[in-house]
């Protein structure tokens, strides 16, 4: 995830910027850079790779000056490279910008600027901002930034410097976090508290649509419309470790709570302004080629495969083309039937999983086109696939995948709708209907998260058991598989996910007095059948937690011991909500058992061996 740090004061800024960026390293990044006002003017040094690369460059040629901005980049628009790293400047080299977030309309803006003679060096959306500000500058950097941001759509936290006003540092926040640190004769900006914690514990937290103008003497707070505002200083009493996790006890919990943002970011710029169609300009596959596809293979490992199981339901429902899902480690050894009319979709958070990469290569060798859904720009999977949809979950640190999985679901929803609108299997109003429901998901996840305490209680009780079952039908079964994997992975409690109708063909024998059963019943078309399956387990003494739709509470209460209601959405979209209580369940069970939640035994975040 990108990180921002900025300084204006009386000390050399370079070491403060580098130290601040180091404190943000845990968030993941692929390149870094700083801009400092030196005696020569506004100077920038930036490089792809780890911070040590940047430090090495600066050792020979340090940037000396007491005002500067720094950035660690997690690529979203354009691969990791020196040129794509931040800070970005305009053509006059008088304006420099660091940016977290995504500018949705950057292509339009870039085109306009290019028509006016601007030259661009990078593939990023951020470079557009420095050019825009330079165009809007008429002697006051604050007004120029205000005018520029009015032209931008999307999410942004910005740090802006101009050589014309070397005693001011401007910061803006819109849908991407930014804080201002206050010290005696020195001020800071940062995307996260750890970056500046060693210098100050007094901060202003900017809200969306607010900006700050920092000088050595003080901080002026205002809205992007130009109205001055006042704020209370927030005194941080967290230690560094707590600050890294934004106050959460574990990265996994933090990442579970980041899902509303991950959903918004993954949808951002991919839904037309009128909300009636999906826009995926990153896809090279043509409408003709999409029309020619007659089968799909979804190939992945672990949690990514479980996202693929939901993806199968989504594509078959929206596009009506047969989809097979495959475990990547099996795919290339079972001689799958791959024809040039097969679209192979590989799913991978890291984009580096050896089995998934091998499956991708096998598919291409057999002449199939490969679409990758991955979270890491510039990863092997992203580089080698023919088409790529990047999920914008941001780096995932906990081994147990949560926000990456749910962002993969969003990617499948978007791609399924895009395909459906392209071949006409869904009409415009049907697409718009699903898109409206998708846009409500982030807020609905927030509602689910607000009830985390309910799940905590259930988790504590199941943590005493050595075996349990997850059951569901249709798309709920796909989610049950993810719930079961998550629980095994971090709590080490054995569990099985079963298609609810299949239980009585053997596994029911394992249900005895007190066996916990987590039953998902969010699919209205099989609701009655699920109730019957639950009764079958209850008759053998199961202790059932029902994950249900809001509105069914009274009726379901007769059949289950405990229940958790998720907000209503379209049946196809329910996994994006129903997975959240299951993630929380595994988190709290692991916690109750005293395990290392973020680093479970025997597992690695990225599996780069076969
Ligand atoms: O990076 P990938 O998505 O390709 O990783 C695939 C699996 O190794 C991964 O999803 C694993 O199952 C997770 N630790 C599950 O939480």
């Amino acid at each position: 995830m990108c990180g921002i740090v900025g300084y204006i004061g009386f000390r050399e800024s370079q070491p403060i910027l580098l130290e601040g960026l180091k404190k943000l390293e845990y968030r993941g990044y692929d390149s870094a850079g700083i801009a400092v006002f030196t005696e020569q003017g506004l100077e920038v040094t930036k490089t792809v790779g780890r911070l040590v690369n940047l430090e090495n460059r600066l050792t020979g040629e340090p940037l000396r000056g007491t005002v500067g901005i720094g950035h660690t980049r997690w690529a979203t628009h354009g691969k990791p490279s020196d040129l794509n790293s931040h800070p970005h400047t305009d053509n006059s080299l008088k304006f420099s910008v660091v940016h977290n977030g995504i500018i949705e309309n950057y292509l339009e803006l870039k085109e306009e600027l290019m028509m006016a003679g601007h030259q661009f060096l990078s593939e990023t959306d951020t470079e557009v901002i420095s050019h825009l500000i330079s165009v809007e500058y008429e002697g006051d950097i604050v007004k120029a930034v205000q005018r520029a941001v009015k032209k931008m759509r999307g999410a942004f936290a910005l740090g802006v410097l101009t050589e014309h006003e070397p005693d001011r540092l401007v910061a803006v926040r819109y849908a991407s976090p930014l804080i201002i640190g206050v010290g005696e004769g020195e001020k800071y900006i940062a995307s996260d508290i750890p970056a500046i914690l060693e210098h100050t514990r007094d901060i202003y937290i900017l809200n969306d649509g607010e900006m700050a103008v920092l000088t050595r003497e003080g901080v002026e707070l205002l809205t992007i419309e130009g109205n001055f505002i006042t704020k209370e200083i927030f005194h941080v009493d967290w230690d560094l470790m707590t600050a890294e996790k934004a106050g959460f006890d574990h990265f996994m919990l933090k990442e579970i709570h980041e899902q509303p943002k991950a959903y918004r970011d993954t949808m951002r710029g991919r839904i037309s302004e009128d909300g009636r169609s999906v826009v995926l300009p990153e896809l090279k596959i043509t409408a003709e080629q999409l029309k020619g596809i007659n089968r799909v293979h979804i190939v992945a490992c672990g949690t990514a495969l479980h996202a693929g199981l939901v993806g199968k339901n989504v594509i078959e429902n929206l596009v009506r083309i047969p989809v097979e899902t495959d475990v990547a480690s099996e795919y290339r050894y079972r001689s799958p039937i791959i024809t040039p009319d097969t679209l192979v979709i590989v799913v991978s958070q890291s984009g580096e999983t050896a089995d998934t990469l091998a499956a991708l290569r096998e598919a291409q060798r057999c002449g199939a086109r490969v679409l990758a859904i991955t979270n890491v720009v510039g990863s092997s999977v992203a580089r080698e696939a023919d088409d790529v949809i990047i999920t914008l979950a941001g780096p995932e640190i906990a081994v147990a995948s949560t926000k990456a999985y749910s962002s993969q679901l969003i990617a499948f929803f978007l791609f399924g709708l895009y395909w459906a609108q392209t071949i006409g299997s869904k009409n415009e109003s049907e697409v718009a209907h699903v898109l409206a429901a998708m846009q409500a998901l982030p807020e609905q996840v927030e509602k689910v998260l607000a009830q985390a305490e309910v799940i905590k209680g259930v988790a504590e009780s199941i943590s005493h058991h050595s075996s349990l079952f997850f059951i569901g039908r249709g798309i709920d079964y796909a989610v049950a598989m993810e719930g079961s994997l998550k629980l095994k992975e971090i709590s080490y409690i054995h569990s099985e996910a079963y298609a609810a109708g299949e239980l009585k063909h053997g596994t029911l024998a394992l249900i005895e007095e007190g066996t916990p059963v987590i039953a998902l019943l969010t699919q209205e078309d099989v609701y009655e059948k699920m109730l019957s399956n639950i009764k079958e387990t209850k008759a053998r003494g199961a202790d059932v937690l029902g994950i249900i739709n809001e509105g069914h509470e009274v009726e379901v209460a007769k059949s289950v011991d405990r229940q958790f209601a998720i907000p209503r959405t379209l049946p196809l979209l329910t996994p994006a909500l129903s997975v959240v209580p299951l993630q929380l369940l595994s988190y709290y069970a692991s916690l109750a058992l005293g395990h290392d939640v973020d680093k479970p035994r025997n597992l690695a975040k990225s599996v780069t061996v076969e």
Side-chain angles (χ1 to χ4, degrees):
M1 185 99 69
C2 299
I4 289 179
V5 55
Y7 174 76
I8 177 163
F10 52 84
R11 292 184 282 162
E12 282 298 324
S13 59
Q14 178 180 305
I16 295 171
L17 298 175
L18 290 175
E19 277 309 311
L21 293 178
K22 268 189 209 155
K23 296 280 170 21
L24 300 180
E25 269 193 304
Y26 71 95
R27 296 157 49 96
Y29 67 102
D30 49 54
S31 45
I34 62 170
V36 173
F37 283 128
T38 69
E39 281 180 354
Q40 279 68 47
L42 193 50
E43 285 194 80
V44 177
T45 301
K46 53 188 191 174
T47 173
V48 71
R50 311 298 297 170
L51 270 170
V52 67
N53 299 2
L54 180 65
E55 282 177 319
N56 289 344
R57 277 208 191 171
L58 290 165
T59 312
E61 293 173 66
L63 300 184
R64 297 201 189 283
T66 57
V67 182
I69 48 179
H71 192 262
T72 43
R73 175 172 187 252
W74 164 266
T76 58
H77 292 67
K79 60 186 174 301
S81 71
D82 285 2
L83 282 178
N84 286 338
S85 314
H86 301 209
H88 286 282
T89 46
D90 69 315
N91 287 149
S92 73
L93 307 181
K94 302 252 184 253
F95 296 84
S96 189
V97 171
V98 285
H99 164 223
N100 284 1
I102 297 158
I103 306 303
E104 286 170 23
N105 57 335
Y106 84 102
L107 281 175
E108 279 160 49
L109 295 169
K110 191 169 177 172
E111 223 161 87
E112 281 170 27
L113 288 159
M114 282 168 74
M115 301 266 279
H118 290 250
Q119 285 171 355
F120 288 86
L121 303 174
S122 79
E123 304 157 283
T124 65
D125 48 345
T126 305
E127 195 181 2
V128 168
I129 307 174
S130 47
H131 285 253
L132 259 189
I133 295 173
S134 74
V135 170
E136 296 296 341
Y137 189 73
E138 289 168 2
D140 181 345
I141 186 61
V142 180
K143 293 217 164 65
V145 170
Q146 286 165 345
R147 282 194 289 268
V149 298
K150 275 198 195 114
K151 297 193 168 165
M152 291 159 26
R153 275 201 320 271
F156 43 86
L158 303 177
V160 183
L161 293 178
T162 175
E163 210 175 289
H164 299 297
E165 301 177 48
D167 297 316
R168 298 220 271 183
L169 165 54
V170 178
V172 190
R173 172 193 165 134
Y174 193 85
S176 193
L178 199 65
I179 56 162
I180 312 299
V182 182
E184 203 48 56
E186 17 182 34
K187 308 290 174 288
Y188 310 81
I189 64 168
S191 52
D192 295 85
I193 293 170
I196 57 172
L197 200 58
E198 102 180 60
H199 304 293
T200 181
R201 289 181 170 270
D202 289 337
I203 63 168
Y204 290 116
I205 300 172
L206 293 186
N207 292 325
D208 288 347
E210 293 179 350
M211 60 189 296
V213 185
L214 287 70
T215 58
R216 291 174 180 85
E217 295 74 35
V219 178
E220 238 170 39
L221 298 169
L222 57 168
T223 64
I224 50 180
E225 284 79 32
N227 303 316
F228 288 97
I229 50 172
T230 51
K231 264 182 195 290
E232 291 286 307
I233 291 250
F234 175 73
H235 185 78
V236 183
D237 49 19
W238 296 338
D239 59 21
L240 186 62
M241 290 284 279
T242 312
E244 282 183 350
K245 293 171 193 140
F248 291 100
D249 289 338
H250 295 94
F251 283 112
M252 181 181 178
L253 192 59
K254 173 174 177 264
E255 286 158 7
I256 290 173
H257 280 81
E258 281 171 349
Q259 289 177 113
K261 177 173 185 321
Y263 287 13
R264 288 190 183 102
D265 286 348
T266 302
M267 283 188 261
R268 196 181 303 287
R270 288 169 165 163
I271 298 176
S272 63
E273 270 189 76
D274 62 5
R276 301 191 69 77
S277 60
V278 176
V279 194
L280 290 174
E282 61 267 59
L283 294 186
K284 289 181 256 159
I285 189 165
T286 63
E288 271 324 294
Q289 285 167 321
L290 261 183
K291 283 178 189 151
I293 301 291
N294 58 24
R295 80 168 88 188
V296 177
H297 292 173
I298 300 178
V299 190
C301 303
T303 286
L305 178 63
H306 295 155
L309 294 175
V310 174
K312 169 184 163 73
N313 282 270
V314 170
I315 293 173
E316 288 187 342
N317 179 300
L318 296 174
V319 188
R320 303 305 298 158
I321 284 194
V323 182
E324 284 175 46
T325 53
D326 241 299
V327 173
S329 54
E330 292 291 317
Y331 190 65
R332 73 183 147 143
Y333 298 115
R334 71 166 184 85
S335 198
I337 298 165
I338 306 172
T339 63
D341 304 331
T342 308
L343 177 67
V344 175
I345 304 180
V346 295
V347 190
S348 174
Q349 185 284 130
S350 62
E352 298 298 345
T353 301
D355 288 318
T356 308
L357 196 54
L360 178 161
R361 289 175 181 154
E362 175 65 8
Q364 283 177 331
R365 195 185 63 77
C366 296
R369 193 176 178 99
V370 176
L371 163 70
I373 295 178
T374 180
N375 199 33
V376 183
V377 176
S379 60
S380 305
V381 161
R383 285 198 313 273
E384 294 191 29
D386 302 289
D387 290 286
V388 185
I389 298 179
I390 296 290
T391 49
L392 288 140
E396 203 177 50
I397 293 167
V399 166
S401 183
T402 53
K403 61 175 183 171
Y405 165 86
S406 48
S407 306
Q408 286 158 359
L409 303 186
I410 301 292
F412 271 116
F413 300 153
L414 288 169
F415 179 63
L417 287 170
Y418 177 80
W419 196 348
Q421 81 196 15
T422 306
I423 65 168
S425 57
K426 292 283 169 206
N427 64 34
E428 197 189 59
S429 59
E430 288 168 321
V431 171
H433 181 58
V434 183
L435 287 174
M438 279 176 68
Q439 286 171 298
L441 288 172
E443 251 178 66
Q444 292 180 317
V445 174
E446 274 153 16
K447 274 176 115 183
V448 173
L449 291 169
Q451 302 174 67
E453 283 300 309
V454 178
I455 291 292
K456 191 175 179 187
V458 181
E460 281 161 5
S461 72
I462 66 156
S463 67
H464 307 299
H465 290 264
S466 56
S467 180
L468 65 134
F469 286 84
F470 289 82
I471 59 171
R473 282 173 174 259
I475 209 163
D476 276 346
Y477 173 42
V479 181
M481 294 188 72
E482 174 55 9
S484 174
L485 172 66
K486 209 90 302 168
L487 187 75
K488 284 181 276 221
E489 196 180 9
I490 58 168
S491 75
Y492 320 145
I493 302 173
H494 176 256
S495 72
E496 295 225 31
Y498 249 77
E502 185 66 8
L503 261 191
K504 55 184 159 304
H505 298 286
T507 328
L508 201 51
L510 296 175
I511 307 268
E512 48 190 38
E513 199 55 43
T515 303
V517 171
I518 319 297
L520 288 101
L521 55 165
T522 71
Q523 301 300 299
E524 298 293 332
D525 56 340
V526 285
Y527 174 71
E528 301 290 340
K529 299 206 182 307
M530 266 309 291
L531 283 179
S532 307
N533 296 139
I534 290 171
K535 285 191 182 118
E536 288 159 10
T537 69
K538 286 280 332 147
R540 274 86 190 169
D543 177 22
V544 180
L545 165 70
I547 308 290
I548 64 165
N549 287 328
E550 268 173 3
H552 277 323
E553 291 88 340
V554 177
E555 198 182 354
V556 172
K558 298 175 208 143
S559 311
V560 303
D561 300 280
R562 283 169 288 190
Q563 50 177 278
F564 186 94
I566 57 166
R568 290 262 173 185
T569 182
L570 299 177
L572 208 57
L573 307 184
T574 51
L577 300 177
S578 60
V579 75
V580 180
L582 304 189
Q583 296 166 342
L584 290 167
L585 188 76
S586 61
Y587 171 78
Y588 285 117
S590 175
L591 197 66
L593 291 164
H595 297 317
D596 186 346
V597 177
D598 286 335
K599 292 193 187 117
R601 70 186 182 206
N602 306 341
L603 297 174
K605 183 68 187 162
S606 179
V607 185
T608 52
V609 289
E610 231 197 293

